[in-house]
Amino acid sequence: MEEKQKIILQLLSKNPEMSLSEIENALISDGLYGLSLRDKIYILKTQIPYLKVLKDNYEERRNKNLNKSNSSKESKIIALDAKINQWTEQLNQYENDYKTLFSDERKKKNSQHHQSEKKD
């Protein structure tokens, strides 16, 4: 595992809800370059399942304590659900960008390859 991913995992183990900009700032302060598109996809694929488990735990505790006031748990569940949706949309966008980027690069390489064959 490369050094950047190790640092990302350490950061996420301390605070799994860290924003991408907070992670990027930490990497830059460690002397590493910022986040690539691939890094962002990796981070979100790590964070989203964590948030889903956290949300499920809050829902389970809320359901066990139906007689008690659950307004704080309910608001946390709503906030987590919103964050999951937001991060999932962001992940989908990054994955589409990644596919487009590398699809365009493959097209360029194939085009260059075919042009060099025609010259021969």
PDB file of all heavy atoms in Angstrom, residues 91-111:
ATOM      1  N   LEU A  91     -19.494  10.346  -5.043  1.00  0.00           N
ATOM      2  CA  LEU A  91     -18.752   9.168  -5.501  1.00  0.00           C
ATOM      3  C   LEU A  91     -19.146   8.815  -6.934  1.00  0.00           C
ATOM      4  O   LEU A  91     -18.278   8.548  -7.773  1.00  0.00           O
ATOM      5  CB  LEU A  91     -19.015   7.980  -4.566  1.00  0.00           C
ATOM      6  CG  LEU A  91     -18.440   6.638  -4.993  1.00  0.00           C
ATOM      7  CD1 LEU A  91     -16.920   6.689  -5.079  1.00  0.00           C
ATOM      8  CD2 LEU A  91     -18.878   5.535  -4.037  1.00  0.00           C
ATOM      9  N   ASN A  92     -20.444   8.805  -7.222  1.00  0.00           N
ATOM     10  CA  ASN A  92     -20.901   8.493  -8.579  1.00  0.00           C
ATOM     11  C   ASN A  92     -20.336   9.482  -9.588  1.00  0.00           C
ATOM     12  O   ASN A  92     -19.912   9.082 -10.682  1.00  0.00           O
ATOM     13  CB  ASN A  92     -22.432   8.488  -8.641  1.00  0.00           C
ATOM     14  CG  ASN A  92     -23.037   7.325  -7.892  1.00  0.00           C
ATOM     15  OD1 ASN A  92     -22.403   6.302  -7.677  1.00  0.00           O
ATOM     16  ND2 ASN A  92     -24.282   7.481  -7.474  1.00  0.00           N
ATOM     17  N   GLN A  93     -20.299  10.746  -9.219  1.00  0.00           N
ATOM     18  CA  GLN A  93     -19.742  11.761 -10.118  1.00  0.00           C
ATOM     19  C   GLN A  93     -18.246  11.527 -10.349  1.00  0.00           C
ATOM     20  O   GLN A  93     -17.769  11.582 -11.473  1.00  0.00           O
ATOM     21  CB  GLN A  93     -19.968  13.166  -9.549  1.00  0.00           C
ATOM     22  CG  GLN A  93     -19.466  14.278 -10.457  1.00  0.00           C
ATOM     23  CD  GLN A  93     -20.162  14.289 -11.804  1.00  0.00           C
ATOM     24  OE1 GLN A  93     -21.384  14.258 -11.869  1.00  0.00           O
ATOM     25  NE2 GLN A  93     -19.398  14.308 -12.882  1.00  0.00           N
ATOM     26  N   TYR A  94     -17.513  11.252  -9.276  1.00  0.00           N
ATOM     27  CA  TYR A  94     -16.074  10.982  -9.416  1.00  0.00           C
ATOM     28  C   TYR A  94     -15.823   9.748 -10.275  1.00  0.00           C
ATOM     29  O   TYR A  94     -14.908   9.736 -11.093  1.00  0.00           O
ATOM     30  CB  TYR A  94     -15.410  10.801  -8.050  1.00  0.00           C
ATOM     31  CG  TYR A  94     -15.281  12.067  -7.234  1.00  0.00           C
ATOM     32  CD1 TYR A  94     -15.317  12.021  -5.849  1.00  0.00           C
ATOM     33  CD2 TYR A  94     -15.104  13.305  -7.820  1.00  0.00           C
ATOM     34  CE1 TYR A  94     -15.188  13.171  -5.078  1.00  0.00           C
ATOM     35  CE2 TYR A  94     -14.981  14.462  -7.070  1.00  0.00           C
ATOM     36  CZ  TYR A  94     -15.027  14.385  -5.692  1.00  0.00           C
ATOM     37  OH  TYR A  94     -14.893  15.525  -4.938  1.00  0.00           O
ATOM     38  N   GLU A  95     -16.620   8.704 -10.076  1.00  0.00           N
ATOM     39  CA  GLU A  95     -16.444   7.490 -10.882  1.00  0.00           C
ATOM     40  C   GLU A  95     -16.748   7.758 -12.349  1.00  0.00           C
ATOM     41  O   GLU A  95     -16.040   7.259 -13.230  1.00  0.00           O
ATOM     42  CB  GLU A  95     -17.322   6.363 -10.334  1.00  0.00           C
ATOM     43  CG  GLU A  95     -16.808   5.803  -9.037  1.00  0.00           C
ATOM     44  CD  GLU A  95     -17.669   4.695  -8.449  1.00  0.00           C
ATOM     45  OE1 GLU A  95     -18.906   4.722  -8.618  1.00  0.00           O
ATOM     46  OE2 GLU A  95     -17.092   3.799  -7.814  1.00  0.00           O
ATOM     47  N   ASN A  96     -17.778   8.547 -12.628  1.00  0.00           N
ATOM     48  CA  ASN A  96     -18.080   8.909 -14.017  1.00  0.00           C
ATOM     49  C   ASN A  96     -16.955   9.747 -14.615  1.00  0.00           C
ATOM     50  O   ASN A  96     -16.560   9.531 -15.767  1.00  0.00           O
ATOM     51  CB  ASN A  96     -19.413   9.667 -14.108  1.00  0.00           C
ATOM     52  CG  ASN A  96     -20.603   8.759 -13.906  1.00  0.00           C
ATOM     53  OD1 ASN A  96     -20.538   7.555 -14.154  1.00  0.00           O
ATOM     54  ND2 ASN A  96     -21.697   9.320 -13.438  1.00  0.00           N
ATOM     55  N   ASP A  97     -16.443  10.692 -13.840  1.00  0.00           N
ATOM     56  CA  ASP A  97     -15.313  11.508 -14.304  1.00  0.00           C
ATOM     57  C   ASP A  97     -14.100  10.637 -14.596  1.00  0.00           C
ATOM     58  O   ASP A  97     -13.414  10.825 -15.598  1.00  0.00           O
ATOM     59  CB  ASP A  97     -14.938  12.565 -13.256  1.00  0.00           C
ATOM     60  CG  ASP A  97     -15.997  13.641 -13.092  1.00  0.00           C
ATOM     61  OD1 ASP A  97     -16.939  13.711 -13.906  1.00  0.00           O
ATOM     62  OD2 ASP A  97     -15.884  14.414 -12.112  1.00  0.00           O
ATOM     63  N   TYR A  98     -13.849   9.673 -13.723  1.00  0.00           N
ATOM     64  CA  TYR A  98     -12.705   8.773 -13.876  1.00  0.00           C
ATOM     65  C   TYR A  98     -12.854   7.939 -15.152  1.00  0.00           C
ATOM     66  O   TYR A  98     -11.909   7.817 -15.932  1.00  0.00           O
ATOM     67  CB  TYR A  98     -12.616   7.876 -12.644  1.00  0.00           C
ATOM     68  CG  TYR A  98     -11.357   7.051 -12.559  1.00  0.00           C
ATOM     69  CD1 TYR A  98     -10.182   7.597 -12.073  1.00  0.00           C
ATOM     70  CD2 TYR A  98     -11.349   5.722 -12.953  1.00  0.00           C
ATOM     71  CE1 TYR A  98      -9.022   6.843 -11.986  1.00  0.00           C
ATOM     72  CE2 TYR A  98     -10.194   4.959 -12.870  1.00  0.00           C
ATOM     73  CZ  TYR A  98      -9.037   5.521 -12.386  1.00  0.00           C
ATOM     74  OH  TYR A  98      -7.896   4.779 -12.319  1.00  0.00           O
ATOM     75  N   LYS A  99     -14.055   7.398 -15.361  1.00  0.00           N
ATOM     76  CA  LYS A  99     -14.302   6.595 -16.570  1.00  0.00           C
ATOM     77  C   LYS A  99     -14.129   7.443 -17.820  1.00  0.00           C
ATOM     78  O   LYS A  99     -13.521   7.006 -18.800  1.00  0.00           O
ATOM     79  CB  LYS A  99     -15.714   6.003 -16.541  1.00  0.00           C
ATOM     80  CG  LYS A  99     -15.889   4.877 -15.564  1.00  0.00           C
ATOM     81  CD  LYS A  99     -17.335   4.429 -15.527  1.00  0.00           C
ATOM     82  CE  LYS A  99     -17.576   3.478 -14.367  1.00  0.00           C
ATOM     83  NZ  LYS A  99     -18.997   3.171 -14.190  1.00  0.00           N
ATOM     84  N   THR A 100     -14.665   8.654 -17.794  1.00  0.00           N
ATOM     85  CA  THR A 100     -14.562   9.554 -18.940  1.00  0.00           C
ATOM     86  C   THR A 100     -13.106   9.913 -19.210  1.00  0.00           C
ATOM     87  O   THR A 100     -12.652   9.861 -20.350  1.00  0.00           O
ATOM     88  CB  THR A 100     -15.368  10.851 -18.684  1.00  0.00           C
ATOM     89  OG1 THR A 100     -16.733  10.495 -18.452  1.00  0.00           O
ATOM     90  CG2 THR A 100     -15.277  11.795 -19.857  1.00  0.00           C
ATOM     91  N   LEU A 101     -12.389  10.240 -18.161  1.00  0.00           N
ATOM     92  CA  LEU A 101     -10.985  10.618 -18.299  1.00  0.00           C
ATOM     93  C   LEU A 101     -10.174   9.498 -18.943  1.00  0.00           C
ATOM     94  O   LEU A 101      -9.445   9.719 -19.899  1.00  0.00           O
ATOM     95  CB  LEU A 101     -10.403  10.974 -16.922  1.00  0.00           C
ATOM     96  CG  LEU A 101      -8.932  11.336 -16.866  1.00  0.00           C
ATOM     97  CD1 LEU A 101      -8.695  12.653 -17.578  1.00  0.00           C
ATOM     98  CD2 LEU A 101      -8.482  11.425 -15.422  1.00  0.00           C
ATOM     99  N   PHE A 102     -10.329   8.294 -18.430  1.00  0.00           N
ATOM    100  CA  PHE A 102      -9.519   7.195 -18.952  1.00  0.00           C
ATOM    101  C   PHE A 102     -10.048   6.655 -20.264  1.00  0.00           C
ATOM    102  O   PHE A 102      -9.286   6.127 -21.065  1.00  0.00           O
ATOM    103  CB  PHE A 102      -9.344   6.108 -17.886  1.00  0.00           C
ATOM    104  CG  PHE A 102      -8.377   6.546 -16.838  1.00  0.00           C
ATOM    105  CD1 PHE A 102      -8.819   7.071 -15.637  1.00  0.00           C
ATOM    106  CD2 PHE A 102      -7.022   6.513 -17.070  1.00  0.00           C
ATOM    107  CE1 PHE A 102      -7.929   7.526 -14.684  1.00  0.00           C
ATOM    108  CE2 PHE A 102      -6.112   6.966 -16.129  1.00  0.00           C
ATOM    109  CZ  PHE A 102      -6.569   7.476 -14.929  1.00  0.00           C
ATOM    110  N   SER A 103     -11.315   6.845 -20.526  1.00  0.00           N
ATOM    111  CA  SER A 103     -11.872   6.492 -21.827  1.00  0.00           C
ATOM    112  C   SER A 103     -11.293   7.418 -22.891  1.00  0.00           C
ATOM    113  O   SER A 103     -10.890   6.977 -23.965  1.00  0.00           O
ATOM    114  CB  SER A 103     -13.396   6.600 -21.784  1.00  0.00           C
ATOM    115  OG  SER A 103     -13.926   6.468 -23.075  1.00  0.00           O
ATOM    116  N   ASP A 104     -11.216   8.711 -22.583  1.00  0.00           N
ATOM    117  CA  ASP A 104     -10.639   9.684 -23.512  1.00  0.00           C
ATOM    118  C   ASP A 104      -9.164   9.394 -23.758  1.00  0.00           C
ATOM    119  O   ASP A 104      -8.686   9.498 -24.881  1.00  0.00           O
ATOM    120  CB  ASP A 104     -10.798  11.110 -22.985  1.00  0.00           C
ATOM    121  CG  ASP A 104     -12.245  11.595 -23.029  1.00  0.00           C
ATOM    122  OD1 ASP A 104     -13.075  10.921 -23.671  1.00  0.00           O
ATOM    123  OD2 ASP A 104     -12.537  12.628 -22.401  1.00  0.00           O
ATOM    124  N   GLU A 105      -8.442   9.023 -22.694  1.00  0.00           N
ATOM    125  CA  GLU A 105      -7.014   8.714 -22.854  1.00  0.00           C
ATOM    126  C   GLU A 105      -6.817   7.482 -23.732  1.00  0.00           C
ATOM    127  O   GLU A 105      -5.918   7.450 -24.559  1.00  0.00           O
ATOM    128  CB  GLU A 105      -6.357   8.505 -21.489  1.00  0.00           C
ATOM    129  CG  GLU A 105      -6.111   9.798 -20.758  1.00  0.00           C
ATOM    130  CD  GLU A 105      -5.340   9.617 -19.473  1.00  0.00           C
ATOM    131  OE1 GLU A 105      -4.734   8.545 -19.265  1.00  0.00           O
ATOM    132  OE2 GLU A 105      -5.343  10.552 -18.656  1.00  0.00           O
ATOM    133  N   ARG A 106      -7.669   6.465 -23.557  1.00  0.00           N
ATOM    134  CA  ARG A 106      -7.565   5.266 -24.390  1.00  0.00           C
ATOM    135  C   ARG A 106      -7.841   5.600 -25.853  1.00  0.00           C
ATOM    136  O   ARG A 106      -7.174   5.096 -26.745  1.00  0.00           O
ATOM    137  CB  ARG A 106      -8.540   4.184 -23.899  1.00  0.00           C
ATOM    138  CG  ARG A 106      -7.940   3.298 -22.856  1.00  0.00           C
ATOM    139  CD  ARG A 106      -8.801   2.073 -22.596  1.00  0.00           C
ATOM    140  NE  ARG A 106      -9.091   2.065 -21.175  1.00  0.00           N
ATOM    141  CZ  ARG A 106     -10.264   2.248 -20.610  1.00  0.00           C
ATOM    142  NH1 ARG A 106     -11.331   2.393 -21.333  1.00  0.00           N
ATOM    143  NH2 ARG A 106     -10.405   2.247 -19.311  1.00  0.00           N
ATOM    144  N   LYS A 107      -8.850   6.450 -26.074  1.00  0.00           N
ATOM    145  CA  LYS A 107      -9.173   6.850 -27.450  1.00  0.00           C
ATOM    146  C   LYS A 107      -7.988   7.556 -28.083  1.00  0.00           C
ATOM    147  O   LYS A 107      -7.662   7.317 -29.247  1.00  0.00           O
ATOM    148  CB  LYS A 107     -10.400   7.762 -27.461  1.00  0.00           C
ATOM    149  CG  LYS A 107     -11.695   7.043 -27.210  1.00  0.00           C
ATOM    150  CD  LYS A 107     -12.849   8.015 -27.174  1.00  0.00           C
ATOM    151  CE  LYS A 107     -14.138   7.346 -26.737  1.00  0.00           C
ATOM    152  NZ  LYS A 107     -15.236   8.325 -26.581  1.00  0.00           N
ATOM    153  N   LYS A 108      -7.330   8.446 -27.344  1.00  0.00           N
ATOM    154  CA  LYS A 108      -6.165   9.164 -27.863  1.00  0.00           C
ATOM    155  C   LYS A 108      -5.036   8.193 -28.198  1.00  0.00           C
ATOM    156  O   LYS A 108      -4.412   8.293 -29.244  1.00  0.00           O
ATOM    157  CB  LYS A 108      -5.673  10.202 -26.851  1.00  0.00           C
ATOM    158  CG  LYS A 108      -6.544  11.411 -26.743  1.00  0.00           C
ATOM    159  CD  LYS A 108      -5.996  12.370 -25.689  1.00  0.00           C
ATOM    160  CE  LYS A 108      -6.958  13.500 -25.411  1.00  0.00           C
ATOM    161  NZ  LYS A 108      -6.497  14.356 -24.314  1.00  0.00           N
ATOM    162  N   LYS A 109      -4.788   7.244 -27.284  1.00  0.00           N
ATOM    163  CA  LYS A 109      -3.715   6.274 -27.525  1.00  0.00           C
ATOM    164  C   LYS A 109      -4.020   5.415 -28.741  1.00  0.00           C
ATOM    165  O   LYS A 109      -3.145   5.157 -29.560  1.00  0.00           O
ATOM    166  CB  LYS A 109      -3.506   5.396 -26.291  1.00  0.00           C
ATOM    167  CG  LYS A 109      -2.794   6.086 -25.168  1.00  0.00           C
ATOM    168  CD  LYS A 109      -2.598   5.165 -23.990  1.00  0.00           C
ATOM    169  CE  LYS A 109      -1.946   5.905 -22.835  1.00  0.00           C
ATOM    170  NZ  LYS A 109      -1.790   5.054 -21.655  1.00  0.00           N
ATOM    171  N   ASN A 110      -5.272   4.967 -28.856  1.00  0.00           N
ATOM    172  CA  ASN A 110      -5.655   4.148 -30.012  1.00  0.00           C
ATOM    173  C   ASN A 110      -5.532   4.944 -31.301  1.00  0.00           C
ATOM    174  O   ASN A 110      -5.075   4.431 -32.314  1.00  0.00           O
ATOM    175  CB  ASN A 110      -7.083   3.613 -29.852  1.00  0.00           C
ATOM    176  CG  ASN A 110      -7.169   2.502 -28.835  1.00  0.00           C
ATOM    177  OD1 ASN A 110      -6.172   1.851 -28.529  1.00  0.00           O
ATOM    178  ND2 ASN A 110      -8.354   2.286 -28.293  1.00  0.00           N
ATOM    179  N   SER A 111      -5.934   6.196 -31.258  1.00  0.00           N
ATOM    180  CA  SER A 111      -5.846   7.063 -32.425  1.00  0.00           C
ATOM    181  C   SER A 111      -4.384   7.256 -32.827  1.00  0.00           C
ATOM    182  O   SER A 111      -4.039   7.161 -34.002  1.00  0.00           O
ATOM    183  CB  SER A 111      -6.500   8.403 -32.116  1.00  0.00           C
ATOM    184  OG  SER A 111      -6.251   9.310 -33.152  1.00  0.00           O
TER     185      SER A 111
END
